[in-house]
Amino acid sequence: MQFSLLTAFVALLPIAFAIPATPVADASLPGSTANVAGLHAVARAAGKLYLGTATDNNELTNTQYTAILEAPNMFGQITAENSMKWDATEPEQGVFTFTLADQIANLATSHGQLLRGHNCVWHQQLPSWVTAGNFNANQLTSIIQNHCGTLVGRYAGRVWDVVNEPLNDDGSFRSDVFFNTLGENYIPIALRTAKAADPHAKVYINDFNIEGLGAKATAMKNLVRTLKSQGVPIDGIGLQSHFIVGEVPTTLVQNMQEFVALGVEVAITELDIRMTLPETAALLEQQKQDYQTVISACQAVQGCVGITLWDFTDKFSFIPSTFPGQGAACPWDQNLVRKPAFDGIVAGF
């Protein structure tokens, strides 16, 4: 199923029902007061295709978590946080394992949720046979084609982050096994392979620090122009959107509009807004405003098709382990209670 096939997707939507706001667990901090049918229902009513979330296999044993994940109209889209990456799907050359990826795909299908494939080619979470194989250009091309073609072909009709994080913050290409062997040609190789494996797939490049105007965003726009001039399929740009409370870019709308003007759609693909701990009422209020700002920006740009949270709860957020001393980045807290950020999302639509 493609993100652009609105009619087909609407047919899969469960009937909306109101989910009452969850009581606040910590009375010393503000909580959510919104009473809506679900975030996805709000997004659809506002004309967007979905409001979704990332999830991971180890989280699916928590029944309190899955009750929210699977609630009708709360999330209309699922991204596999780790189980479709290279180390999880092709740990040995030519040997594919799909047990974990299939679990996420089947979860999405069974609940009428769109599935985003994440990802085909990335510089991290690569098995050593890829990074240390000393492959020549022809060999690595064949490896990329086999890997991308197999993944996209298995999960057909989806949206795929085919190339993930190809750029440095200064706009130069990131040095990794793919670029060092093939130069920037690895990008069209991956995109062409994905589209050939499934002509109905939406193929994206996904990156961070390209959400607002700047050198990296400019470089990504130039890359889109180059790809299009070469006839390389590119349907969308993923704006990861790992933000800091009080530091959301002020040029979100203009930047999205400039991408869309190049003939691609955009999506907010990994949204969270972290803060320096501990949480305070003031930080939570600012976080609420920041979530509203991001959602409002997508809402203002027709070509911004939807928003994905990079998991919806602080309980499973990657932020504390990646950014020590920071956290509380998600709209639900560690106890799976809605925070003011939830209301910010609703207000943004």
Side-chain angles (χ1 to χ4, degrees):
M1 181 181 295
Q2 299 183 60
F3 280 14
S4 61
L5 297 180
L6 295 179
T7 303
F9 181 58
V10 168
L12 294 174
L13 282 173
I15 297 173
F17 68 94
I19 302 172
T22 306
V24 179
D26 185 346
S28 67
L29 293 173
S32 166
T33 60
N35 191 342
V36 296
L39 294 180
H40 174 62
V42 173
R44 292 288 291 125
K48 294 304 170 184
L49 188 55
Y50 63 90
L51 187 294
T53 184
T55 192
D56 214 348
N57 301 76
N58 63 320
E59 302 165 10
L60 301 180
T61 59
N62 185 306
T63 56
Q64 186 182 6
Y65 172 86
T66 56
I68 299 170
L69 180 69
E70 299 170 5
N73 292 307
M74 186 58 77
F75 302 112
Q77 176 268 329
I78 296 292
T79 299
E81 191 167 342
N82 287 296
S83 58
M84 292 186 180
K85 292 175 179 173
W86 202 310
D87 60 349
T89 55
E90 194 183 1
E92 300 176 51
Q93 186 170 2
V95 178
F96 288 87
T97 59
F98 293 115
T99 302
L100 297 178
D102 283 352
Q103 184 183 16
I104 302 296
N106 293 339
L107 171 73
T109 299
S110 66
H111 293 93
Q113 296 162 315
L114 296 164
L115 176 69
R116 186 180 196 93
H118 181 80
N119 51 61
C120 291
V121 178
W122 187 33
H123 67 280
Q124 293 187 33
Q125 291 180 238
L126 291 170
S128 59
W129 73 262
V130 177
T131 58
N134 295 315
F135 299 111
N136 62 34
N138 288 337
Q139 290 170 327
L140 191 56
T141 295
S142 178
I143 287 167
I144 291 172
Q145 289 170 334
N146 186 51
H147 183 78
C148 291
T150 301
L151 259 65
V152 176
R154 183 177 183 86
Y155 304 105
R158 318 291 186 173
V159 173
W160 271 94
D161 293 324
V162 176
V163 177
N164 198 46
E165 301 176 3
L167 300 177
N168 295 310
D169 280 347
D170 64 1
S172 61
F173 285 98
R174 185 185 297 276
S175 176
D176 61 16
V177 64
F178 305 110
F179 181 78
N180 294 346
T181 305
L182 293 164
E184 60 189 87
N185 289 332
Y186 83 89
I187 296 173
I189 290 169
L191 291 167
R192 284 187 167 118
T193 298
K195 187 65 86 169
D198 178 15
H200 299 294
K202 287 287 187 76
V203 294
Y204 269 63
I205 300 174
N206 188 53
D207 215 328
F208 61 92
N209 288 348
I210 60 169
E211 300 85 4
L213 297 177
K216 191 172 184 180
T218 297
M220 185 64 78
K221 291 165 195 169
N222 289 336
L223 176 57
V224 171
R225 291 186 184 97
T226 298
L227 293 170
K228 283 189 165 290
S229 72
Q230 297 172 348
V232 178
I234 175 68
D235 297 307
I237 297 297
L239 311 176
Q240 289 188 10
S241 304
H242 295 293
F243 294 133
I244 299 172
V245 165
E247 300 181 23
V248 172
T250 60
T251 54
L252 293 174
V253 172
Q254 180 182 347
N255 192 51
M256 289 182 195
Q257 289 172 334
E258 290 184 6
F259 274 115
V260 172
L262 298 176
V264 294
E265 63 187 35
V266 296
I268 295 171
T269 54
E270 303 184 18
L271 177 61
D272 53 31
I273 307 180
R274 65 187 183 270
M275 64 182 70
T276 299
L277 300 174
E279 294 171 277
T280 66
L283 285 170
L284 290 172
E285 176 60 28
Q286 182 61 55
Q287 185 184 55
K288 172 185 174 181
Q289 296 302 318
D290 290 341
Y291 267 97
Q292 181 175 346
T293 295
V294 176
I295 302 303
S296 295
C298 182
Q299 181 65 15
V301 179
Q302 185 176 4
C304 181
V305 296
I307 299 101
T308 305
L309 306 174
W310 204 241
D311 223 321
F312 63 86
T313 170
D314 297 334
K315 184 177 182 68
F316 296 126
S317 172
F318 84 107
I319 293 294
S321 62
T322 305
F323 302 95
Q326 300 183 50
C330 303
W332 278 256
D333 69 12
Q334 291 272 0
N335 298 313
L336 295 160
V337 174
R338 297 180 195 174
K339 295 155 57 177
F342 182 99
D343 295 13
I345 294 173
V346 174
F349 286 119

